[in-house]
Amino acid sequence: MSVSAYHQHTVGGPAIFAGLGLHTGEHVRVSIRPAGPDAGITFVRTDVRDRDNAVRVSPEAVVKTQLGTVIGNDAGVTVSTIEHLMAAMAALSIDNAVVELDGPELPILDGSAQPFIEILDRVGRRRQEAARRYIELLDTVEVVEGDKRASLSPSEQFEVAFEIKFDAAPIGTQRVDLVVDEESFREELADCRTFGFVREVEALRAIGLARGGSIDNAVVLDGDRILNPEGLRRPDEFVRHKALDAVGDLYVLGMPILGRFDGLYAGHGLNNLVVRALMANPDAWRVRTWTQELAQAV
């Protein structure tokens, strides 16, 4: 079904899949189910039965941002690595859904958002009789940490710009700047994979991370060599994946953005800080609907 800018949407039916978590290495089964209008996106840990096992997505629900976005509730229940699925749902205009999983981390699949797009495409989306709300930027909000920066600023459309710089020859300095809608996300960002360096793997595994990581679900670099036999999907796959992450991290707002995101050497932590800074500055944004704009134009 085609998407409507005026209405909220949910998934057309249960979308069921399974896979390994990037950091835990655990096999997890997932079911994405429809939810009612204004419900937002809620993750439910079906393996947790002794306390509240539902975690509704919001900026405040983000409890950790080391190499991924982790959300949690007041009962201490967490769900890790939500950003790729969140990016896919943002791109496909899925406003309301319940994501049930029987483990602590979403499957990483191939390290990009493409498998999630394909999973959601199989069940389609259903229009709901409720107005879709947008966060419209009225002023610029910025957070800075050393040489890293992230900002949100006014724009008539959702734009994402990102710049990264690494010493590794396959990466160097890369920049991407594009209007993000369903078409551009599918064509420009969805298939770009997460990446990491061999030298970091042992240290990460020592602290319980990257236990499920491999060349099957990430671009892996050893110095200036890319270890994946198939190579890169795009010459600038690295920065495009960072932009993909930003799309997912911004969608914890629960509404699409009418505005521009700029990230310089940023990551999940700074992405969430700029979201929180926006929420803390109510004069910098307002909630709009397309129906309001149409009424004003008449």
Side-chain angles (χ1 to χ4, degrees):
M1 174 182 176
S2 62
V3 68
S4 164
Y6 312 106
H7 297 89
Q8 294 178 31
H9 300 82
T10 189
V11 291
I16 299 169
F17 61 98
L20 293 179
L22 173 64
H23 295 303
T24 62
E26 293 187 22
H27 186 270
V28 178
R29 291 170 295 183
V30 183
S31 176
I32 305 173
R33 300 182 180 277
D38 300 318
I41 297 169
T42 299
F43 288 80
V44 177
R45 287 276 303 276
T46 59
D47 59 314
V48 175
R49 299 181 179 87
D50 61 343
R51 52 198 153 132
D52 181 11
N53 63 355
V55 186
R56 179 166 177 171
V57 174
S58 71
E60 298 75 28
V62 176
V63 296
K64 193 174 180 182
T65 53
Q66 184 181 19
L67 301 178
T69 296
V70 183
I71 55 173
N73 64 15
D74 291 340
V77 174
T78 62
V79 180
S80 302
T81 321
I82 68 166
E83 59 271 14
H84 301 166
L85 175 58
M86 290 297 295
M89 289 201 280
L92 297 184
S93 300
I94 302 297
D95 302 277
N96 308 300
V98 175
V99 184
E100 298 176 346
L101 68 165
D102 64 357
E105 182 182 21
L106 276 172
I108 191 62
L109 303 180
D110 78 344
S112 77
Q114 185 63 38
F116 295 111
I117 292 285
E118 294 170 358
I119 288 162
L120 293 168
D121 279 346
R122 286 201 293 269
V123 299
R125 57 194 161 203
R126 176 164 52 85
R127 194 181 80 184
Q128 298 173 298
E129 294 309 312
R132 190 168 209 225
R133 297 184 297 271
Y134 296 77
I135 290 181
E136 180 183 24
L137 270 293
L138 303 176
D139 200 358
T140 298
V141 174
E142 183 179 57
V143 292
V144 179
E145 287 186 352
D147 63 345
K148 301 176 181 179
R149 185 172 70 247
S151 66
L152 287 164
S153 56
S155 174
E156 294 181 355
Q157 54 204 349
F158 181 36
E159 302 173 8
V160 173
F162 217 107
E163 183 174 326
I164 61 173
K165 184 177 182 180
F166 287 83
D167 291 335
I171 307 179
T173 299
Q174 297 184 356
R175 179 172 175 80
V176 65
D177 190 335
L178 70 161
V179 176
V180 178
D181 55 20
E182 180 176 344
E183 182 179 3
S184 67
F185 186 88
R186 287 179 182 271
E187 294 181 359
E188 304 288 344
L189 300 179
D191 66 345
C192 296
R193 297 161 293 176
T194 191
F195 61 94
F197 296 86
V198 168
R199 66 175 183 267
E200 300 171 348
V201 170
E202 287 188 10
L204 291 173
R205 288 180 176 168
I207 59 172
L209 298 175
R211 290 177 177 173
S214 72
I215 59 173
D216 294 326
N217 53 40
V219 178
V220 182
L221 296 97
D222 184 4
D224 290 339
R225 292 191 306 125
I226 294 172
L227 301 187
N228 304 63
E230 75 279 11
L232 297 176
R233 293 176 175 175
R234 301 165 186 266
D236 59 351
E237 184 172 0
F238 305 97
V239 74
R240 288 176 183 269
H241 182 78
K242 287 286 194 177
L244 183 162
D245 278 345
V247 172
D249 287 342
L250 294 175
Y251 204 45
V252 301
L253 286 163
M255 289 176 272
I257 292 173
L258 292 174
R260 176 180 175 86
F261 171 85
D262 282 275
L264 177 66
Y265 314 150
H268 300 294
L270 226 55
N271 294 348
N272 187 246
L273 285 177
V274 79
V275 163
R276 288 174 181 259
L278 180 69
M279 292 294 96
N281 187 355
D283 292 335
W285 57 280
R286 62 181 172 179
V287 176
R288 297 294 305 274
T289 65
W290 285 113
T291 51
Q292 288 173 330
E293 293 184 1
L294 283 174
Q296 290 174 0
V298 174

